[in-house]
Amino acid sequence: MPIILRRLATSVLILLAVSVLVFVATLLLPGDPAQAILGQQATPERLAALREQMNLNDPVLQRYFSWLGGLFVGDLGISAASGGPVSALLGERIGASLVLLVAASLISLPVGFLVGTYSALRRGRTGDHVTTGVSLVLAALPEFVIGIALITLFSTTVFPILPSVTMAPPGEAVWNYPLQLVLPTLTLVLVVTPYITRMMRATMLEVLDSGYVEMARLKGVPERQVILRHALPHALSPVAQVVAIQLAWMAGGVVVVEFLFRYPGIGQALVDAVANRDVQVVQALSILIAAVYIMVNLLADMVGILTNPKLRTGGTR
Amino acid sequence: MSTSISENTTTATPVLSADGLRVATTAGEEILHGVSFELQPGKILALVGESGSGKTTAGLACLGHFRQGLEHTGGEIHLAGSGQDGSILDLPESERRKLRGGAISYVPQDPALSLNPAMRIGEQIMEVLRVHRYGDSDAERRGRAAEVLAEVGLENDRAYLGRYPHQLSGGQQQRVGIAMAFACRPAVMVLDEPTTGLDVTTQALVLQTIDQLAERHSVAGLYITHDLAVVAKVADDVVVMLSGDVVEHGPTAQVLYRPQHHYTRKLLNAVPDLAGKRRVGSVAAITGEQAAVPQDGSAGHAAQITTADRHSAAHTPAPAAHRSLLEVSGLRLAYGENQVLDGIDFKLGQGESMMLLGESGSGKTTLSRCIAGLNEDYNGTVCLDGAELAPGTRARSAEQRQQVQYVFQSPFSSLNPRRTICESVEVPLQMSGKMSRKERRLRVREALDQVRLGDSYLDRRPGDLSGGERQRAAIARALVNAPSLLVCDEVTSALDVSVQASIIDLLRSLQTDTGMSMLFVTHNIALARHISQRMAVLQQGRIVDLGSTEDVLENPQHDYTRELLANVPTF
């Protein structure tokens, strides 16, 4: 599969380019990390000692490569704020965010596919109008508005049934408190699903109008099989691109949602790290989010390649 | 192949009969106003009409299928062997579905669009067998799939069954479509323009396959088409449709040679013939020895335009020498390993019209785009009037750009729908920036006049125009700058035959009137004598035959050309 290998190679190149950008961007963060850690009262000697300890006096290029080298062996450096290794600090946070992301995707993907297909099959009828209207409204709302609306609805006066903030004791896994996961997950689902639904509806409509779907019907293929075998595989490849963008957005957009629900994931960690000038943590998280972005897009392209025999077989016509 | 008049058609039991079929849009506009016809086993009935006549709607109705936005409003369709006494249109959808692909099957117009690109062809044939419970096991069904592929003249080993549609040529794809339609041994096959877009050789093969299958297995065929030459070759009986009504009905020989209705006569007159005996429009076809180039005075082409007398044109002496306007040499272009153009050399004289003939994929459009500067990735040289042209339009001078003008295949997509005709035609003049608004408008009116569109078209938009009118507007746009070379890329292939005739007529008179040169790119060899003095035959990026139209047609040098000529359907 040379086409997949080529695609993989470009992904690696993009990731390298991102690492340069991330590194340069953190250099540009205002303020001196040493100063930020030690505060305004720090003596020049202590500042100099800390700079020496953090290798801040080395040439920029050398610092970049030692940081990059560290990434490859899982050494993300020492957190300036906590003094511990970044990997230990983030491990738990990544796990917590992953729970949120996976739960949200597991719900929004099938729902998006189903509702989009339903809408396309009922083109122009009431069911179609309702779903397109609702998805348009939801797509127009930013995640914090949806989040706040959900909190108002389910954890304050109307139906006080769900917790509005996450309060797992530190060191304990978030999934031990499933009720606390409901609102953050629901928020992400409501943000992501409308886009998937709309895209699914649009590509499905196009596919349903295609010659091969009409041909399948004229062959006497039962409607269910027409949809599942002839229409769906062709609709999936363009939708996969949108799904990828949405999943990638979740990896970054989770920051706002986690902040809103005080959820102990990478989003919280990133906000804290920027506030503390914790350069190592910011770098590690930025690279991580970028890697998720690239990975997900790579997966979407693979779906495209696998559902299109022309790309798979090269074709000799 | 029989075109003999079958006297007993009315007495035999029809396998399918449509009776007073009415179809309307859901908005209430009637598309078919009571259409009736009968199909006999082993015979092929041609349903002839232009786009919009409702012939496809009628064909699909035979399968109990109505496209989105259409509904059945009256009339009946009886299908013998459906196991139903009543009209199949009264059956519930699930019952009709069981008939489709089984008792009655469909062969679509464009197999490239109708075969599922993500399914292997063997699986697509197996699917129809499985749906209709043909055979008891998958092994048996695989055997039938192989058998039916052999019947349409394709390979049928495992590797072939495992191919995807894009790995087949257009003709092979269409034969897979026919195999699929034939797999369950239907009583009736509906064929919807199955050879449009194929070159004549492939078309002949497909027609032969259909004919043999129908005869051997006594299948009744409904052949939907607008190509009367094909009708002559394949059909036993003909039904002519005009905007939702049947206007003529009878055995093929009678309808084609003794047409009763004036519309049938009009259709027949519009069919271009290779021999050039018929006149498409008002300009005589080019036959026999003829001046390659009209004399610089008006005498030469006046003779061609005003007189139908072939002999006077035939005796016009060929000018001893004429300047060549366009010289293409060593033109090559490759996309990856795919060599699209493989060393093209030819000259086009001033005032000369040349046909560039080739099937899809032969590189003819790529070649014309290179000449027009729309494709700049070529190697080799293109010289206009002795001066070498830069590869891209951007690198060419304004004057050079004005000299070469291009008319695109589809007038439906080449005109901006938001602009009025005047605005669209005016664009090339605005680009030169020399004329005032008033002068431009005057020039646009002249150009519209040249293409026989009146002033009333100035402020209309493409959406209000028919296909033929749009193509005229597109030609006017190419004419405003008085080009010395007009490149016409398949300009008639999106149009009906009668519209094609009027466009061909127009182009010929324009060319002789203005003395411009013309490169006419097409896949339709039958147009040769109606449009060009010279022709070049293109196959897989090479010119395999080049010469005067007469020479190439009468004395072809290459096997490919000979094969094409042998397979041109005529009547």
Side-chain angles (χ1 to χ4, degrees):
Chain A
M1 297 259 177
I3 185 164
I4 291 186
L5 286 181
R6 218 178 312 142
R7 190 64 190 71
L8 208 60
T10 34
S11 302
V12 171
L13 278 181
I14 292 170
L15 205 52
L16 275 179
V18 169
S19 76
V20 174
L21 280 180
V22 166
F23 191 80
V24 171
T26 46
L27 281 184
L28 294 179
L29 270 186
D32 175 1
Q35 185 91 58
I37 293 165
L38 296 175
Q40 291 300 321
Q41 274 76 42
T43 61
E45 292 77 27
R46 290 192 58 194
L47 279 177
L50 188 61
R51 286 204 187 104
E52 186 63 34
Q53 188 198 333
M54 294 172 69
N55 297 329
L56 290 182
N57 296 328
D58 289 349
V60 170
L61 216 56
Q62 191 183 334
R63 279 162 61 197
Y64 170 70
F65 279 111
S66 64
W67 171 69
L68 190 67
L71 285 184
F72 281 108
V73 294
D75 173 16
L76 301 176
I78 304 293
S79 160
S82 70
V86 172
S87 40
L89 184 85
L90 289 183
E92 207 175 277
R93 299 297 194 103
I94 292 173
S97 284
L98 218 52
V99 170
L100 208 56
L101 291 186
V102 169
S105 351
L106 284 184
I107 297 171
S108 56
L109 292 188
V111 170
F113 290 163
L114 280 177
V115 176
T117 307
Y118 164 82
S119 193
L121 289 175
R122 314 276 306 175
R123 169 187 343 194
R125 295 193 230 170
T126 322
D128 181 29
H129 290 313
V130 170
T131 48
T132 37
V134 169
S135 64
L136 186 63
V137 170
L138 282 177
L141 293 176
E143 61 269 34
F144 56 87
V145 174
I146 295 182
I148 291 170
L150 286 178
I151 290 175
T152 319
L153 203 58
F154 291 111
S155 42
T156 56
T157 45
V158 192
F159 303 108
I161 43 173
L162 290 168
S164 69
V165 290
T166 321
M167 287 187 299
E172 220 181 311
V174 279
W175 50 87
N176 290 340
Y177 300 87
L179 269 190
Q180 294 181 352
L181 287 175
V182 173
L183 286 187
T185 309
L186 195 58
T187 309
L188 284 178
V189 166
L190 286 181
V191 173
V192 170
T193 315
Y195 291 98
I196 299 176
T197 305
R198 294 179 69 79
M199 190 66 194
M200 190 68 198
R201 175 180 181 272
T203 51
M204 201 65 184
L205 282 182
E206 204 173 294
V207 172
L208 286 175
D209 280 342
S210 71
Y212 48 86
V213 167
E214 179 169 62
M215 190 61 222
R217 287 186 174 141
L218 292 173
K219 270 159 79 178
V221 177
E223 191 63 18
R224 203 184 143 80
Q225 195 175 331
V226 170
I227 304 297
L228 290 180
R229 267 202 91 181
H230 293 269
L232 207 57
H234 295 279
L236 280 186
S237 147
V239 171
Q241 301 290 339
V242 170
V243 168
I245 292 170
Q246 290 303 308
L247 290 184
W249 172 86
M250 276 212 279
V254 80
V255 173
V256 175
V257 175
E258 288 183 2
F259 187 76
L260 187 66
F261 291 97
R262 304 294 313 156
Y263 187 87
I266 55 167
Q268 272 286 320
L270 188 60
V271 172
D272 291 346
V274 171
N276 295 334
R277 302 283 179 281
D278 198 342
V279 176
Q280 302 289 343
V281 173
V282 174
Q283 286 172 341
L285 284 176
S286 312
I287 277 288
L288 183 75
I289 292 175
V292 170
Y293 231 98
I294 291 167
M295 277 287 294
V296 165
N297 276 302
L298 181 67
L299 283 177
D301 284 355
M302 289 210 193
V303 169
I305 291 168
L306 290 179
T307 52
N308 187 345
K310 244 184 226 179
L311 293 176
R312 244 186 305 151
T313 56
T316 49
R317 188 170 158 173
Chain B
M1 292 280 174
S2 90
T3 49
S4 64
I5 303 170
S6 25
E7 297 296 340
N8 57 346
T9 40
T10 42
T11 52
T13 2
V15 59
L16 182 139
S17 61
D19 192 12
L21 187 65
R22 287 174 184 275
V23 175
T25 64
T26 39
E29 190 196 340
E30 199 167 69
I31 304 292
L32 297 183
H33 320 289
V35 170
S36 309
F37 51 84
E38 288 181 348
L39 301 183
Q40 308 293 338
K43 304 262 184 206
I44 292 176
L45 173 74
L47 195 55
V48 180
E50 303 205 333
S51 49
S53 63
K55 56 191 195 298
T56 294
T57 305
L60 288 174
C62 294
L63 288 104
H65 180 79
F66 301 93
R67 285 198 170 142
Q68 186 95 26
L70 294 180
E71 59 187 8
H72 170 227
T73 50
E76 297 184 337
I77 288 177
H78 293 271
L79 178 63
S82 63
Q84 306 289 337
D85 294 333
S87 164
I88 60 165
L89 298 179
D90 297 334
L91 295 175
E93 175 65 22
S94 61
E95 292 297 312
R96 275 187 267 168
R97 180 182 71 64
K98 284 181 192 152
L99 297 176
R100 287 180 206 139
I104 178 165
S105 64
Y106 180 77
V107 178
Q109 178 169 5
D110 190 343
L113 297 177
S114 301
L115 290 175
N116 189 331
M119 270 167 89
R120 299 173 191 277
I121 56 162
E123 183 50 35
Q124 302 200 34
I125 298 174
M126 296 272 287
E127 184 183 40
V128 68
L129 293 170
R130 214 174 286 136
V131 164
H132 295 287
R133 306 187 193 291
Y134 188 100
D136 299 322
S137 63
D138 260 7
E140 200 175 319
R141 286 189 274 264
R142 191 165 298 118
R144 173 65 185 155
E147 186 186 6
V148 80
L149 278 178
E151 268 192 284
V152 297
L154 291 174
E155 291 172 52
N156 61 356
D157 52 43
R158 240 191 144 72
Y160 201 88
L161 287 167
R163 289 208 190 182
Y164 285 102
H166 72 272
Q167 293 168 319
L168 307 177
S169 71
Q172 290 170 326
Q173 287 176 340
Q174 192 53 285
R175 277 184 278 163
V176 170
I178 294 171
M180 197 156 75
F182 196 67
C184 292
R185 301 189 185 282
V188 180
M189 277 169 93
V190 176
L191 304 122
D192 190 358
E193 305 205 30
T195 62
T196 311
L198 303 179
D199 73 35
V200 284
T201 309
T202 321
Q203 167 173 292
L205 241 144
V206 170
L207 291 181
Q208 197 189 350
T209 310
I210 293 168
D211 208 56
Q212 282 172 355
L213 284 179
E215 205 160 327
R216 199 182 311 147
H217 301 278
S218 3
V219 177
L222 180 65
Y223 194 101
I224 300 168
T225 184
H226 67 267
D227 188 344
L228 288 161
V230 169
V231 171
K233 207 161 178 181
V234 76
D236 300 287
D237 296 278
V238 183
V239 165
V240 181
M241 278 183 72
L242 172 65
S243 36
D245 279 311
V246 172
V247 295
E248 187 151 0
H249 186 178
T252 303
Q254 181 192 316
V255 174
L256 293 192
Y257 298 105
R258 273 169 284 135
Q260 303 298 311
H261 197 271
H262 66 89
Y263 177 71
T264 316
R265 281 197 287 272
K266 185 180 150 211
L267 269 186
L268 282 164
N269 281 331
V271 179
D273 63 326
L274 194 60
K277 278 185 235 126
R278 213 172 289 117
R279 287 176 53 201
V280 171
S282 60
V283 185
I286 302 162
T287 52
E289 281 299 314
Q290 176 154 16
V293 178
Q295 300 271 3
D296 47 343
S298 58
H301 59 257
Q304 288 176 24
I305 302 168
T306 51
T307 66
D309 180 7
R310 293 211 312 269
H311 301 290
S312 75
H315 296 303
T316 312
H322 56 274
R323 276 188 325 128
S324 71
L325 176 79
L326 178 76
E327 268 191 69
V328 175
S329 50
L331 200 70
R332 282 169 195 283
L333 189 144
Y335 295 125
E337 286 165 23
N338 186 8
Q339 190 78 33
V340 183
L341 296 176
D342 195 6
I344 302 281
D345 301 277
F346 70 88
K347 290 181 184 175
L348 181 64
Q350 193 127 43
E352 193 175 52
S353 160
M354 178 152 124
M355 171 182 268
L356 200 58
L357 181 78
E359 62 173 332
S360 57
S362 62
K364 57 188 192 303
T365 293
T366 312
L367 174 57
S368 39
R369 292 178 69 93
C370 288
I371 292 169
L374 296 171
N375 189 331
E376 49 192 82
D377 304 321
Y378 63 85
N379 294 314
T381 55
V382 177
C383 294
L384 187 73
D385 244 348
E388 185 176 341
L389 293 176
T393 43
R394 277 164 222 273
R396 294 182 182 177
S397 72
E399 201 197 334
Q400 285 172 333
R401 281 199 295 262
Q402 289 171 7
Q403 293 290 301
V404 183
Q405 291 291 322
Y406 200 94
V407 183
F408 293 88
Q409 172 169 5
S410 168
F412 300 94
S413 57
S414 71
L415 290 172
N416 186 336
R418 305 180 69 101
R419 287 193 172 161
T420 64
I421 296 303
C422 178
E423 283 164 349
S424 280
V425 176
E426 198 180 33
V427 173
L429 297 173
Q430 284 170 338
M431 293 299 116
S432 62
K434 286 184 194 136
M435 292 178 162
S436 72
R437 222 184 116 82
K438 223 170 174 178
E439 288 171 317
R440 286 202 304 262
R441 191 137 175 128
L442 198 69
R443 188 70 197 92
V444 169
R445 287 166 95 146
E446 279 174 32
L448 286 180
D449 198 43
Q450 276 181 298
V451 299
R452 326 266 191 275
L453 289 180
D455 283 357
S456 61
Y457 286 88
L458 279 172
D459 295 317
R460 291 166 69 180
R461 283 175 216 279
D464 307 332
L465 271 54
S466 71
E469 288 168 337
R470 285 187 217 200
Q471 197 59 292
R472 281 168 193 265
I475 294 170
R477 178 172 56 185
L479 287 179
V480 280
N481 272 326
S484 50
L485 172 64
L486 188 66
V487 181
C488 300
D489 183 9
E490 293 265 25
V491 289
T492 60
S493 56
L495 307 172
D496 286 319
V497 267
S498 58
V499 184
Q500 163 174 289
S502 69
I503 295 287
I504 293 287
D505 187 20
L506 172 72
L507 284 173
R508 278 261 283 140
S509 352
L510 280 175
Q511 189 232 336
T512 40
D513 283 351
T514 61
M516 66 179 171
S517 306
M518 183 160 69
L519 200 57
F520 190 87
V521 182
T522 183
H523 71 276
N524 189 352
I525 194 172
L527 289 172
R529 281 202 164 95
H530 301 277
I531 193 73
S532 60
Q533 292 105 354
R534 286 175 70 216
M535 65 187 290
V537 181
L538 204 60
Q539 189 203 18
Q540 293 172 357
R542 292 166 195 264
I543 291 183
V544 296
D545 239 321
L546 177 69
S548 75
T549 303
E550 190 63 24
D551 272 354
V552 173
L553 295 184
E554 295 300 328
N555 188 17
Q557 297 302 307
H558 194 272
D559 285 346
Y560 178 70
T561 320
R562 273 184 224 123
E563 213 177 343
L564 284 179
L565 285 168
N567 286 305
V568 175
T570 45
F571 68 93

